[in-house]
Amino acid sequence: MTEQVLQDGAEKEKEPVKEVVVAGVHNYSREDSYVVPTDPRVLKKLEWFKDQKLGLMMHWGPYSQLGIVESWALSDGDADWSRGGIDWEVTGEEFKKEYFSLNKTFNPIRFEPEKWADLAKEAGMKYLLFTTKHHDGFCMWDTQYSDYKITAEDCPFHTHKYADICAHLFESFRKRGIGVAAYFSKADWHVDSYWKDDTPRGKFKNRGPSYRPSENPEEWERFVTFTQNQIRELGTGYGKLDAMWFDAGWVCAQSGQDIRLGEIIEEIRKIQPGMLCADRMIGGAYENYVTPEQCVPERPLSIPWESCITLGTSFSFKYEDEYKSPREVINLLVDIVVKGGNLAINVGPQPDGRIPAGAVKTLKGMGEWLSVYGDAIYGTRVCAPYKKDGIGFTKKADTVYAIQTFDSEASIVPDTVWIPYEGEVREITVLGEEKVEAFFREEGGLRVKLAGRNNQTAPIARVFCLK
């Protein structure tokens, strides 16, 4: 807990609150504050969500042209950590003008949604989590409530056949049986009902509104109406959505920035029955699952959760970025799944509309492993002892999967493996090409003898099926 000034600018009142966002990274809600949904359709959709395990998250917008952190450098209050990538001589005010003009040069003519969806399918992705709008306010769909959008006449991409990016992307993924979740920032640093210059603060901007909503309720209501209209637009005009994922956790009733999210979600659920809502770090009835960012909980959580983690070093596209290997991502995925969570692995597309080659290589490598061993990942639930002695455990129906991961190709791969599982086991097989010669029950677990391997390099992981 920390003493933090509430983000609506209400400096007159301080109270101990958990910091929602530190250096652009969201915290995540506590397990014991989770509110179990009462709508049976939402509960059913949560079971679907827990089956998926792997999603493709994508941060994309005009900011990809700069190769710096998305949105955050616009906030003067976050300048200390977010403007390190601004290495050309420019003042903060000049930078804001440059940033907000990036829409006039954003022309991703090599964007091919069908190819993105094919790659996601090959990589083993089960759902897409796409940034419809980040904090900067630029809309990747044909919104009727803002001119700062991909289909506006001052954006050169507006004449392209795929100009309404969200519409074409969502449809391409749905056609391949991949779910769709719409990321939406509750803050909007472009619209003048949130960030205004004619306030005592002037041009200096924090991540919150530039005025006190409690002292200017008419202006705040204008922002609420605008925001609800955009949420309604996405939720009713862009096909089936499995979830809406709301970022900017400081925009909430607790900080005096109530957008009355619940009323618009309930309205949308009349059209999208059971649609999930992830109101990050806010808790309550509309945070149906929690979202650790760039981290994995140390232990299993008993509530639905999803870690969003970058494939490279940045959520947005970064020039000459370094990407995790398939081995690193699969090891990460196993650690998450054995603790009951999902992994949303983030890829930032290039400004020309292509997925970076390094990311493509890793995604395809992930798919190769999952095509053989995916039964131990998809549709599973937690299984004690979860993770012990280098083995992770999942369960589906009458099968327990024991997953042994290897850190590198040079790792030693023993022919005899200790599996610390004490439940009853009648049969043990191995996914893939390896064969079990025999297994023995010993105190505390099972000792499994495998036939000798021909391959000299360690696999990413191998999976034992205990029945």
Side-chain angles (χ1 to χ4, degrees):
M1 305 291 279
T2 180
E3 284 285 319
Q4 179 194 16
V5 178
L6 298 182
Q7 285 294 329
D8 66 348
E11 289 87 352
K12 62 185 178 183
E13 56 175 320
K14 291 185 179 182
E15 63 181 58
V17 295
K18 180 182 287 187
E19 284 196 84
V20 173
V21 182
V22 179
V25 176
H26 269 67
N27 206 318
Y28 62 97
S29 301
R30 289 168 42 140
E31 211 173 352
D32 57 9
S33 63
Y34 181 73
V35 176
V36 178
T38 56
D39 185 336
R41 294 167 296 186
V42 174
L43 291 171
K44 182 178 179 181
K45 179 62 76 170
L46 276 173
E47 290 304 309
W48 169 89
F49 173 78
K50 290 189 285 186
D51 282 343
Q52 306 312 298
K53 304 305 181 189
L54 182 61
L56 177 63
M57 188 180 203
M58 307 187 93
H59 279 67
W60 195 38
Y63 49 79
S64 63
Q65 298 171 93
L66 295 182
I68 65 170
V69 63
E70 66 288 342
S71 298
W72 283 102
L74 290 168
S75 169
D76 298 300
D78 292 282
D80 57 341
W81 66 267
S82 66
R83 293 184 182 171
I86 303 172
D87 54 5
W88 62 100
E89 292 186 11
V90 64
T91 66
E93 288 307 307
E94 288 174 330
F95 169 76
K96 292 177 195 176
K97 291 178 182 176
E98 290 176 346
Y99 186 107
F100 281 129
S101 293
L102 288 170
N103 62 310
K104 298 173 183 176
T105 54
F106 188 47
N107 194 21
I109 59 174
R110 301 184 75 175
F111 168 58
E112 296 183 83
E114 300 287 333
K115 287 186 177 180
W116 284 23
D118 284 339
L119 176 61
K121 186 77 172 178
E122 183 179 351
M125 301 297 171
K126 298 299 182 182
Y127 60 97
L128 169 71
L129 173 53
F130 184 72
T131 48
T132 65
K133 181 180 78 167
H134 206 261
H135 315 326
D136 60 14
F138 186 80
C139 302
M140 299 290 275
W141 80 98
D142 187 28
T143 178
Q144 302 306 299
Y145 300 99
S146 172
D147 291 329
Y148 196 52
K149 60 181 178 178
I150 193 69
T151 55
E153 290 187 4
D154 59 356
C155 180
F157 195 64
H158 81 276
T159 59
H160 197 279
K161 64 179 180 179
Y162 295 138
D164 192 340
I165 283 175
C166 286
H168 294 287
L169 194 60
F170 292 175
E171 187 60 28
S172 295
F173 275 69
R174 288 192 203 99
K175 279 165 52 178
R176 288 155 180 81
I178 300 173
V180 174
Y183 168 112
F184 180 91
S185 172
K186 295 180 292 182
D188 190 311
W189 295 342
H190 186 267
V191 69
D192 65 1
S193 57
Y194 197 78
W195 267 10
K196 303 168 65 68
D197 289 342
D198 58 343
T199 66
R201 188 182 293 163
K203 292 183 179 298
F204 185 90
K205 299 297 193 296
N206 281 326
R207 64 184 67 155
S210 54
Y211 61 92
R212 297 174 180 174
S214 60
E215 295 180 1
N216 198 341
E218 290 184 3
E219 193 68 14
W220 182 252
E221 187 60 29
R222 192 161 72 92
F223 178 71
V224 172
T225 300
F226 162 79
T227 304
Q228 289 196 354
N229 280 337
Q230 286 204 318
I231 294 170
R232 181 183 295 109
E233 203 172 41
L234 286 167
T236 62
Y238 280 79
K240 180 185 177 184
L241 296 181
D242 296 291
M244 295 194 79
W245 201 94
F246 294 98
D247 207 358
W250 61 90
V251 182
C252 60
Q254 297 95 308
S255 66
Q257 298 182 50
D258 188 5
I259 62 169
R260 303 194 299 277
L261 182 65
E263 67 184 42
I264 190 66
I265 291 300
E266 290 305 324
E267 179 184 328
I268 291 170
R269 280 176 174 164
K270 293 176 182 177
I271 299 168
Q272 306 255 20
M275 184 191 76
L276 300 179
C277 181
D279 195 13
R280 305 188 69 198
M281 197 54 212
I282 304 308
Y286 297 99
E287 190 176 28
N288 301 143
Y289 59 93
V290 302
T291 56
E293 182 171 341
Q294 294 288 51
C295 67
V296 180
E298 294 182 359
R299 58 174 181 79
L301 299 183
S302 62
I303 62 176
W305 63 279
E306 164 198 81
S307 277
C308 52
I309 296 176
T310 54
L311 185 60
T313 60
S314 172
F315 279 101
S316 54
F317 172 72
K318 180 180 179 182
Y319 291 94
E320 299 179 349
D321 205 353
E322 296 180 1
Y323 297 96
K324 297 176 178 66
S325 67
R327 183 182 299 274
E328 290 175 296
V329 180
I330 293 300
N331 283 0
L332 180 64
L333 175 63
V334 170
D335 186 40
I336 288 170
V337 170
V338 301
K339 295 173 182 174
N342 288 9
L343 169 61
I345 192 75
N346 182 90
V347 175
Q350 295 178 174
D352 66 0
R354 291 178 297 165
I355 307 299
V360 171
K361 182 178 179 181
T362 293
L363 292 171
K364 289 187 174 184
M366 293 167 55
E368 289 177 7
W369 188 87
L370 286 162
S371 67
V372 177
Y373 303 99
D375 281 350
I377 302 295
Y378 304 121
T380 61
R381 295 293 184 268
V382 295
C383 177
Y386 313 112
K387 196 172 185 181
K388 185 178 180 182
D389 299 343
I391 305 289
F393 294 89
T394 61
K395 185 175 183 179
K396 182 165 49 182
D398 62 349
T399 301
V400 170
Y401 298 97
I403 310 170
Q404 182 183 33
T405 56
F406 298 94
D407 292 334
S408 75
E409 289 187 354
S411 296
I412 296 173
V413 184
D415 292 337
T416 300
V417 180
W418 170 250
I419 300 178
Y421 179 73
E422 298 188 49
E424 182 180 347
V425 175
R426 305 183 315 275
E427 176 187 6
I428 299 180
T429 56
V430 187
L431 294 180
E433 297 179 355
E434 292 192 73
K435 304 296 182 184
V436 172
E437 287 191 347
F439 68 93
F440 311 94
R441 167 66 66 186
E442 298 181 10
E443 184 177 352
L446 302 156
R447 198 165 299 279
V448 182
K449 171 68 174 170
L450 294 163
R453 299 173 66 253
N454 294 323
N455 197 333
Q456 297 303 307
T457 61
I460 290 176
R462 58 185 178 186
V463 177
F464 300 86
C465 306
L466 316 181
K467 296 185 178 181

